[in-house]
Amino acid sequence: MYCRVIVDIVHENVAKPFTYLIPEGMTLCSGQRVAVPFGAREKEGIVAEITAECDVAPEKLRTVIRPLEDYAAVPPELMALAQEMAQQAHCPVAETLRLMLPAQMRGGRIREKTVRTAQIAVSGPEAYAAMEASRPGSKRAKLLELLLPGKPVSVHELGETVRDPGEALRKLEGDGLIRLYEAETMRTPGGAFRATGDPGYELTPEQQEALEEILPCLHGKGGKFLLHGVTGSGKTEVFMKAVHEMLALGKCAIILVPEIALTPQMVSWFRGRFGAVAAVIHSRLSAGERYDEWRRIRRGEARVVIGARSAVFSPVEKLGLIVVDEEHESTYLNDRHPRYDTRDVAASRCERENATLILASATPSILSFARARRGDYILLEMLHRVNDRPLPEVEIVDMRQELEHNNRTVLSYALRQALQECVAKGEQAILLMNRRGYNSFVSCRSCGYVVKCPNCDISMTYHIGDNDGKLRCHYCGKEMIPPALCPECGGRHIRFFGAGTQKVEEEVHKMLPGVPTARMDYDTTGTKDGHGKILEEFRSGRARILIGTQMIAKGLDFPQVTLVGVVAADLALNLPDYRSRERAFQLFTQVAGRAGRGTQPGRVILQTYLPKDPVIGFAARQDYRAFFESEFRRRRNGLYPPFTILARLLIESDREENAEKTAEALEIKVREMLDAHPAWQKKTLILLRDTPSVKYLKSKFRRHLVMKSLVSKETDEMYGALTELAAAGSEGAEIIFEVNPATMM
Ligand code: ADP
Ligand code: ZN
């Protein structure tokens, strides 16, 4: 027999599988990893197919060296998924197959952890007789007694009862009474899970209705849902009940969260309710722990997987359900090659494996809601909070009027008063400031010069430190001491403008001395478990006010929070990106949703210089539908995604003229290509050469060729050609082809 092997090399010339002979006595199956000869070297590969036909000349045929495991590391459904993804991303299957395995598994870098174990090797009566025949109280007798039940016991454990059992064990082995061997063990991260047997809540009528729509699909051939539930409507409880149903049916579930570090609550709920059948995969696991969790899943010991986007590739068998929680989050788009949209991958998996997909959010992405309206997903809506808790009241504060009333600080009178009241009542508050640091830019009052990062061409942010302050580039991390004199005009009027989280924290301290606060941003969460510590400080009540960037808006459930302040709403609105309005609405709604989740009602204050902006209005009324309609129209009229696809050829070089020359030449080639293919030309709306807003990053000069195209078969063909064009490369510059995968296909 022969097999076709996808060799683990990512190169266009190696895109196809290679045929190898399976030697006499070796059995292999599709999806199994093997070592094969490749050129002069040994390489790893994955069996794509077993076949009786040989398509290689006999003198060229080579033989499989050995299987790497005795099971298929990639089950058939995931093999099919990898093939499909490779086709869509225009890349070799070897590349998408890498997504299906823990990185540590490749290159034989992983060692399974084993422990020396002893087990009786003879029948019960024989072992009993041998024990009776030994000297009473001897090590031999005690060991036999411990092993008599027949179960394997680790030598370490035996050593706890019988001191230094080594020699006695070897004698027993020599006498053929026991077997000594290395047994595999599993590293379970965070200790063994224990189920609390928590039965969960009794569902509210809205939750019940949603679940009843889902249940028939769980029992049948699956289905696709978009669960739109306002913040605090209890979406988690709905899908936990669905998971429970899955387990009862002997099936598996995958729960995807935007970032595991930000969802400790969800993890603890799942562990609490489902115990050891729940596996949690996150980036902080050690290589060994990751591999062990993966094997627990592969063997069917773990049947509920919770993780970030890569967990969508978990090798669960009998998949019944995939949940994508907070489906609007951009972390679900993998922006590294091979690019994919986790929601689409999940949908494809569910379809192939007859499983059910639930996308859940309080602020669904424009794309997903549009698809639901078109009928791709069944829309489930939960428009009330549990226990009839009201949604928080949102007030808009016009910061222009604050200026007129001589308030030049970052906190309005209304927000100051609300903070004071909140703290006086012993409640907690959250302040969102979507920029870290102290001042956002440093500029010369006389000539207007702005201090910019010499690498990145963006303005530098002032951070106060323990003893002194520094300017820092938020793109590349470069630091420098702020200039005392203007480097441009030599004047002494260098001033600091704009505010960040540090400044807000300082204002709060000035206003409420002695009230403990916590700050959560990129600067305070860098250390291991930085997030967890800050959240714990706030949860325990040690900190009364939490100040942070958008990190604080995500999925947190703090019942003591009654006040949320959005310090500078305009920051999120003014970004030059077609998605900025969508992101701003999501951010405001999510952060407002943190207020009033306990018994006390919540209050939200939104500070803005643009009080008339419709997005501010939609967010204040928490009217998702109205926001969706307006944004959907804007996107359709402006031909933005999801109605079109954005793609780009990115050119990078160490030398500016190389980047420029390559971009120019590439543009000519692309235009020629379009002229030669009128069908592609027709679908391409815009093609322009441009310098990205960040001129150069980490000493790389960049240019890009941006194109906007209609969603069509022809466009997809054209992308295939562009991928080849990029792969062909250019002298002195690197070319990368990227497609934004979030489209209405
Ligand atoms: P969402 O994700 O929709 O914002 P959560 O799932 O976080 O909402 O639920 C909000 C809060 O309500 C949580 O504290 C949760 O424990 C609680 N909760 C959920 N369902 C119920 C229920 N049926 N009865 C009482 N409390 C519930
Ligand atoms: Zn920089």
Side-chain angles (χ1 to χ4, degrees), residues 504-558:
V504 174
E505 190 178 33
E506 187 185 88
E507 291 280 346
V508 170
H509 286 168
K510 266 196 229 157
M511 178 180 86
L512 297 164
V515 173
T517 62
R519 176 160 61 89
M520 188 154 122
D521 56 28
Y522 181 82
D523 300 314
T524 59
T525 53
T527 55
K528 188 172 154 66
D529 204 33
H531 282 111
K533 280 192 196 129
I534 295 168
L535 292 178
E536 189 41 44
E537 211 179 310
F538 193 54
R539 174 178 312 285
S540 68
R542 279 196 302 282
R544 311 300 306 170
I545 301 170
L546 178 66
I547 299 153
T549 56
Q550 83 267 3
M551 277 180 199
I552 59 174
K554 294 183 182 160
L556 303 176
D557 188 22
F558 296 117

Side-chain angles (χ1 to χ4, degrees), residues 398-666:
D398 184 348
M399 290 306 276
R400 293 171 307 185
Q401 287 185 0
E402 295 290 315
L403 272 182
E404 277 169 29
H405 292 98
N406 270 324
N407 177 6
R408 301 193 168 274
T409 71
V410 290
L411 303 176
S412 62
Y413 290 119
L415 186 50
R416 283 169 181 272
Q417 204 177 11
L419 275 169
Q420 266 154 353
E421 280 170 17
C422 172
V423 169
K425 279 196 268 181
E427 295 162 359
Q428 288 183 306
I430 290 179
L431 294 179
L432 172 77
M433 178 68 197
N434 214 3
R435 184 159 51 202
R436 64 197 167 94
Y438 190 84
N439 290 113
S440 54
F441 64 102
V442 173
S443 158
C444 171
R445 266 242 157 118
S446 314
C447 74
Y449 170 83
V450 175
V451 184
K452 289 185 174 178
C453 171
N455 291 343
C456 308
D457 204 33
I458 59 172
S459 58
M460 294 187 85
T461 305
Y462 183 65
H463 286 249
I464 45 175
D466 290 334
N467 342 313
D468 57 344
K470 277 206 182 76
L471 291 174
R472 196 176 294 158
C473 169
H474 283 185
Y475 228 91
C476 72
K478 185 182 173 57
E479 286 192 347
M480 62 186 194
I481 310 280
L485 298 178
C486 174
E488 196 78 5
C489 72
R492 18 180 91 250
H493 297 289
I494 289 280
R495 293 288 181 272
F496 295 67
F497 299 93
T501 45
Q502 285 188 325
K503 175 108 176 196
V504 174
E505 190 178 33
E506 187 185 88
E507 291 280 346
V508 170
H509 286 168
K510 266 196 229 157
M511 178 180 86
L512 297 164
V515 173
T517 62
R519 176 160 61 89
M520 188 154 122
D521 56 28
Y522 181 82
D523 300 314
T524 59
T525 53
T527 55
K528 188 172 154 66
D529 204 33
H531 282 111
K533 280 192 196 129
I534 295 168
L535 292 178
E536 189 41 44
E537 211 179 310
F538 193 54
R539 174 178 312 285
S540 68
R542 279 196 302 282
R544 311 300 306 170
I545 301 170
L546 178 66
I547 299 153
T549 56
Q550 83 267 3
M551 277 180 199
I552 59 174
K554 294 183 182 160
L556 303 176
D557 188 22
F558 296 117
Q560 296 302 315
V561 174
T562 56
L563 174 66
V564 166
V566 179
V567 180
D570 314 318
L571 265 185
L573 271 174
N574 287 338
L575 298 172
D577 182 329
Y578 75 91
R579 283 163 302 192
S580 58
R581 304 181 75 75
E582 180 178 3
R583 294 215 176 115
F585 179 81
Q586 288 163 352
L587 181 61
F588 301 153
T589 313
Q590 297 284 347
V591 76
R594 303 306 117 209
R597 292 170 79 89
T599 45
Q600 297 304 311
R603 183 176 171 198
V604 179
I605 294 177
L606 238 156
Q607 301 190 154
T608 177
Y609 288 95
L610 304 164
K612 292 272 172 320
D613 190 291
V615 174
I616 298 271
F618 297 138
R621 293 195 299 279
Q622 297 173 66
D623 188 347
Y624 176 80
R625 282 285 185 137
F627 166 74
F628 171 81
E629 294 301 343
S630 111
E631 185 62 14
F632 186 80
R633 236 178 293 123
R634 197 182 67 87
R635 298 265 184 102
R636 195 175 46 199
N637 296 343
L639 287 171
Y640 289 112
F643 300 98
T644 51
I645 320 178
L646 289 176
R648 70 168 177 177
L649 285 153
L650 177 68
I651 298 115
E652 270 189 7
S653 175
D654 302 338
R655 304 185 48 192
E656 190 161 16
E657 65 263 32
N658 281 352
E660 187 58 43
K661 261 200 316 220
T662 307
E664 236 170 80
L666 205 57

Side-chain angles (χ1 to χ4, degrees), residues 38 44 61 130 143 170 179 223 323 334 338 413 436 511 530 539 588:
F38 193 81
E44 292 178 357
L61 184 67
L143 286 170
R170 275 192 295 279
R179 212 157 62 79
V323 174
N334 181 42
Y413 290 119
R436 64 197 167 94
M511 178 180 86
R539 174 178 312 285
F588 301 153

Side-chain angles (χ1 to χ4, degrees), residues 85-269:
M85 286 178 70
Q87 217 163 41
Q88 285 168 359
H90 306 284
C91 73
V93 187
E95 204 168 345
T96 50
L97 273 173
R98 287 182 181 176
L99 298 168
M100 311 292 156
L101 296 167
Q104 300 80 8
M105 231 168 139
R106 292 173 44 228
R109 274 173 291 146
I110 200 83
R111 289 270 165 285
E112 279 165 20
K113 198 173 154 197
T114 58
V115 289
R116 192 109 185 112
T117 304
Q119 190 175 16
I120 287 288
V122 293
S123 71
E126 273 178 274
Y128 191 78
M131 186 184 74
E132 292 283 86
S134 342
R135 186 163 54 80
S138 66
K139 284 188 183 180
R140 185 182 174 92
K142 277 195 215 151
L143 286 170
L144 281 169
E145 189 184 344
L146 288 169
L147 291 168
L148 209 52
K151 273 208 252 99
V153 183
S154 75
V155 171
H156 177 82
E157 205 180 320
L158 293 169
E160 284 170 4
T161 323
V162 182
R163 274 185 66 195
D164 297 327
E167 207 189 310
L169 284 171
R170 275 192 295 279
K171 275 228 185 81
L172 284 168
E173 189 189 26
D175 294 343
L177 291 169
I178 66 163
R179 212 157 62 79
L180 282 173
Y181 59 99
E182 297 292 326
E184 265 181 55
T185 60
M186 296 286 191
R187 288 150 280 215
T188 308
F193 308 140
R194 217 162 287 130
T196 59
D198 174 5
Y201 294 103
E202 196 174 310
L203 295 183
T204 65
E206 270 188 340
Q207 286 173 323
Q208 188 64 38
E209 230 170 88
L211 185 67
E212 272 166 19
E213 290 260 353
I214 299 167
L215 283 178
C217 292
L218 297 180
H219 288 265
K221 288 199 157 301
K224 289 189 245 171
F225 295 92
L226 174 63
L227 175 57
H228 170 218
V230 298
T231 55
S233 59
K235 294 182 285 296
T236 316
E237 190 60 36
V238 173
F239 48 78
M240 283 182 84
K241 288 278 197 298
V243 169
H244 195 267
E245 193 71 18
M246 284 292 75
L247 291 177
L249 289 169
K251 296 193 202 173
C252 295
I254 299 173
I255 314 297
L256 301 174
V257 293
E259 203 207 311
I260 205 102
L262 300 181
T263 34
Q265 292 172 327
M266 166 101 81
V267 171
S268 70
W269 287 335

